Amino acid sequence: MTWLKSSFSEASGNNCVEVAAADDGIALRESANPTEVLSTGAGALSALLRSVRSGPPGRGA
């Protein structure tokens, strides 16, 4: 599996979110604890990112 680091990661690489394509969707991990891997589908990750980008809940569109 090829892991990609967030462009917002620290230069030391010790505080990063990493993503990789997995057989069953998308894999995510925290570089400080790389043995813990979360798997999700591309649609679910896309929905999460849209929600985060839209701002805090209750803010309105």
Side-chain angles (χ1 to χ4, degrees):
M1 200 177 308
T2 302
W3 292 95
L4 302 171
K5 289 184 182 182
S6 167
S7 61
F8 293 100
S9 299
E10 290 182 347
S12 66
N14 295 328
N15 192 18
C16 309
V17 173
E18 299 175 320
V19 298
D23 292 336
D24 59 346
I26 306 292
L28 302 144
R29 71 181 183 181
E30 166 62 44
S31 61
N33 191 7
T35 59
E36 297 287 329
V37 177
L38 172 76
S39 295
T40 189
L45 181 58
S46 181
L48 172 66
L49 293 174
R50 276 192 311 273
S51 177
V52 169
R53 288 178 182 143
S54 71
R59 188 180 101 188

